[in-house]
Amino acid sequence: MGEADGGRAGRGMTVGELARATGVTVRALHHYDRLGLLRPARDRAGRRRYGPAEVRRLHQIVALRSFGLTLAEIGPVLDGTGADPRDLVRRQLRRTEEQLAALERLRRALLELDAAWPPAGSGPAAGPPVRQFIELIERTTAMTEKLTVEQFEQMKRQRDEATAALSPEQLAAMQRERAEQASKLSPEELAAMQERRRQLLPDGIG
Amino acid sequence: MGEADGGRAGRGMTVGELARATGVTVRALHHYDRLGLLRPARDRAGRRRYGPAEVRRLHQIVALRSFGLTLAEIGPVLDGTGADPRDLVRRQLRRTEEQLAALERLRRALLELDAAWPPAGSGPAAGPPVRQFIELIERTTAMTEKLTVEQFEQMKRQRDEATAALSPEQLAAMQRERAEQASKLSPEELAAMQERRRQLLPDGIG
DNA sequence: TTGCTCCTCACGTCACGTGAGGTGGC
DNA sequence: TTGCTCCTCACGTCACGTGAGGTGGC
């Protein structure tokens, strides 16, 4: 037995066959081979031949990768020489939750930005949208350091100029949008934003 | 005027100074320079000198980066030659929400995995934790393709072997954990999991 | 002989980190 | 003269994608 299959399958699948069967690209399989993560046998012509054991290992690799492990972590785990898998799972969980928290902050900031946008139909008098965009971001973003007095004055001047260029209708629309945006935030979030702004003011102002 | 400041500040800040002032690393500033994103003047010795305009631009870069824009996107935006910023914000929002959805699926999977863990105090008879880990993952993971009959038989055999190696107490504990895990899922999620498993079965089985 | 698959370099991606080796101003 | 900061290469990161140029089996 072992030759009853015609000899071809007995030597295992080629990269292309395995790639088609699993959805993992040929290049990825080359990559895993080079890393020593998944080393198939070679036929006389030097081509990779994947047997059942390698196929199984590939499925494991794909599974572990889908759980967010790096390739460097996967090798030791599969060989049983890595850390306690349960710790690994919990570490992954912590990593994931940190990323989730960061993404949720980003999402909230983008929503704020979108909501604070000047009204759409305000015409060409609204000025170049790019400048408004930048200013909006500078106003929305929490800067890491306290503003200098000059920076503060400059921002004020620019804001005043921008405001002066708006029609009364636009001003009203902006105020409405701001109020609407504020209504979406919890009291705690509102307080946090105001505190953030306060802390950005140079000493002796506000 | 312009020389009243002593000449030094008049030529702007050095990279090191700017780095210390903003928290952006010297290497990053070099990087932005090379990309053409933030090109300071040079003094006679060839050193970078950042004036107020460059400092301001840096703040804008940092702000846009914090919103998830790539450096390649930031340049055009700041120069006003990019796409409509509002579209950009909304695209970012969509990207972010997709990433959030993916991370939430991952989190849920990791929680399932952690909850399905064999009891801790079950002693050395529980077998090498790594093997259990792998099996657990193979059972938990949604594979992309239908299992072959042989794969299915192999999985069954392995599961039976693993089960046979467990003490009655361990078996009971595992069943309890599974029930507990199931109770955390909504009826829809449970149905989806069962459907997923059904679809993995080879034709003619189950 | 023509396709098809396979092979091995080797550069590119993204936003820098991290030396390596050398120079100029206080 | 000693530090300190600055400079420009240039490789490394992470998991491959994407050609480039060549070979072997049906």
Side-chain angles (χ1 to χ4, degrees), chain A residues 1-87:
Chain A
M1 60 213 227
E3 297 292 350
D5 50 26
R8 173 103 185 274
R11 298 218 187 76
M13 309 165 77
T14 68
V15 256
E17 287 165 356
L18 184 56
R20 250 167 284 138
T22 60
V24 178
T25 69
V26 170
R27 182 59 178 100
L29 291 170
H30 285 179
H31 191 54
Y32 299 164
D33 189 359
R34 177 115 92 130
L35 293 183
L37 189 55
L38 181 62
R39 321 208 73 143
R42 302 288 187 131
D43 64 15
R44 278 153 305 171
R47 296 198 204 102
R48 294 170 178 83
R49 291 295 179 169
Y50 295 87
E54 281 81 31
V55 174
R56 203 154 181 264
R57 189 170 166 100
L58 178 57
H59 280 302
Q60 294 168 350
I61 291 170
V62 171
L64 289 171
R65 209 187 39 178
S66 79
F67 278 96
L69 299 210
T70 66
L71 296 182
E73 288 168 329
I74 291 177
V77 169
L78 290 183
D79 299 336
T81 62
D84 178 5
R86 183 154 211 185
D87 288 346

Side-chain angles (χ1 to χ4, degrees), chain A residues 21 56 60 63-64 66-67 77-78 85-86 90 97 100 106-107 114 117 130 133-134 137-138 145 158, chain B residues 21 56 59-60 63-64 66 77-78 85-86 90 97 106-107 114 117 130 133-134 137-138 145 158:
Chain A
R56 203 154 181 264
Q60 294 168 350
L64 289 171
S66 79
F67 278 96
V77 169
L78 290 183
R86 183 154 211 185
R90 296 202 162 145
E97 280 169 350
L100 272 171
L106 177 56
R107 189 179 103 94
D114 191 42
W117 215 268
V130 182
F133 176 56
I134 303 290
I137 282 184
E138 286 180 334
E145 29 155 21
Q158 289 179 339
Chain B
R56 196 147 187 270
H59 281 301
Q60 294 168 349
L64 289 170
S66 80
V77 169
L78 290 183
R86 182 155 212 184
R90 294 197 164 150
E97 280 169 350
L106 177 56
R107 188 179 104 94
D114 191 44
W117 215 267
V130 181
F133 176 55
I134 303 290
I137 281 184
E138 286 180 335
E145 30 156 21
Q158 288 178 342

